Amino acid sequence: MNKTLPLVVVVGLVGVGTGFLLRGSQPRGGAAPTEQAKSQLIQASMTPAAGEKIIHTFPTQEALQAFVNFWQQRQERLLRMGMLEGYWNNDQGTLNQLNSQLTTQYQLDLAKRHVLDTEKRVLLEHETPAAEPAAAEPETQPASEEADEGKVIHTFADEDAMKAFAELWQQRQSVIVRMAVLKAYWDSENSLVAQLNKQLADDYQVDVAKLYALDEQRRVLIERPAPAAPEPAAEAQPAAEPQPAASAPDQPVEAEPTPSSTPSPVGATPSQTGQ
């Protein structure tokens, strides 16, 4: 009886150890289904949703990042154009005020040329020279000396009044020069934006007049539907809040139109005030 009990114990221990070994040698059945489910999820995410219009698919993450950098470069140009336009419009308002003051206080016709005679303390008005004809006719006579003397449109009471006018005129000239510089910068930026818009259309099929969303996970560029047409005036609804422009790859990419009010040069050539 004593010899039989240890043998049973030993056999039992061997059986338990063998069970553990056999259990450890069995293949893991859960790994294959997990990878298969992951693959199915990836394939499902790559399938366009109902009504979704994908206009460009990026082959690599580097290609997607290149597009993001390119788009941000365009947004920076548009922002700079907006700032220039703001400065230009501000100067335009200042110029309008100066023109109003000059025309009402000194009876200036800004379409004509003016000369300040400091000795007589008078402001002279001259007709703007007409464009020369292509071929001068034989009967054309030179202008008379009387016409060149100019017409007195304002007489200054003293030196201080004349200096006040000269300072006002110089301020106007400075505004006109600054506006010309701002417009030159704006035109340069506008030309660069036009080039960027063309490259976006050629390389990514982007129409900057439309709205887009960038899906970084799927590496696709999606064209968003156009906003609904506004209600008639009789049934006007509260305006929707404007959507911010895209500035990061994980945000919707929205096309921003070029500024609606394009700065333009001053209509008339600035008059000259001589001494």
Side-chain angles (χ1 to χ4, degrees):
M1 184 66 180
N2 293 336
K3 293 181 181 180
T4 304
L5 181 60
L7 182 60
V8 171
V9 173
V10 171
V11 172
L13 291 175
V14 172
V16 171
T18 304
F20 276 112
L21 291 175
L22 292 176
R23 186 181 305 172
S25 62
Q26 292 177 353
R28 297 182 179 181
T34 300
E35 292 298 328
Q36 184 178 2
K38 183 177 179 181
S39 177
Q40 291 176 353
L41 288 175
I42 293 175
Q43 293 297 328
S45 66
M46 296 298 292
T47 304
E52 186 179 66
K53 183 178 179 182
I54 295 178
I55 64 167
H56 189 83
T57 301
F58 302 94
T60 63
Q61 186 65 28
E62 289 75 14
L64 182 143
Q65 188 60 44
F67 168 80
V68 171
N69 295 339
F70 187 79
W71 184 268
Q72 290 178 345
Q73 181 182 356
R74 177 181 179 275
Q75 299 298 89
E76 291 172 0
R77 297 286 183 186
L78 290 175
L79 178 60
R80 189 150 46 238
M81 288 176 64
M83 294 175 61
L84 291 170
E85 185 179 8
Y87 288 134
W88 194 93
N89 290 336
N90 183 63
D91 281 341
Q92 180 67 71
T94 302
L95 180 62
N96 291 341
Q97 294 178 1
L98 293 172
N99 289 345
S100 177
Q101 186 174 352
L102 286 169
T103 54
T104 56
Q105 187 173 348
Y106 300 102
Q107 296 76 48
L108 262 70
D109 182 352
L110 297 174
K112 298 181 180 180
R113 186 171 61 92
H114 300 87
V115 174
L116 180 62
D117 190 330
T118 56
E119 293 182 359
K120 298 180 180 180
R121 293 204 302 267
V122 296
L123 186 61
L124 303 174
E125 180 181 274
H126 294 263
E127 294 292 338
T128 304
E132 296 183 1
E137 298 180 359
E139 44 281 324
T140 302
Q141 300 295 329
S144 63
E145 295 181 359
E146 183 179 355
D148 294 336
E149 292 180 358
K151 172 186 174 183
V152 176
I153 61 172
H154 188 83
T155 301
F156 300 96
D158 50 29
E159 291 288 334
D160 292 338
M162 187 172 60
K163 289 181 180 179
F165 166 79
E167 292 176 357
L168 187 66
W169 184 266
Q170 290 175 355
Q171 183 181 356
R172 177 180 183 272
Q173 298 300 91
S174 298
V175 171
I176 290 175
V177 171
R178 187 164 57 247
M179 290 176 68
V181 173
L182 289 172
K183 184 181 184 301
Y185 280 118
W186 194 94
D187 288 343
S188 176
E189 294 294 338
N190 189 41
S191 177
L192 292 174
V193 168
Q195 295 177 11
L196 295 175
N197 290 346
K198 184 178 184 303
Q199 189 170 348
L200 282 169
D202 294 342
D203 297 348
Y204 304 102
Q205 295 74 51
V206 168
D207 181 354
V208 294
K210 298 180 180 180
L211 303 178
Y212 299 90
L214 182 63
D215 190 326
E216 187 176 9
Q217 182 178 4
R218 293 187 291 166
R219 294 202 302 266
V220 294
L221 187 61
I222 304 168
E223 181 178 321
R224 299 173 60 184
E231 296 291 335
E235 302 177 0
Q237 301 294 330
E241 297 183 0
Q243 298 181 356
S247 58
D250 57 348
Q251 298 292 331
V253 179
E254 297 187 1
E256 291 189 2
T258 53
S260 56
S261 56
T262 304
S264 57
V266 180
T269 303
S271 305
Q272 300 295 328
T273 301
Q275 294 187 1

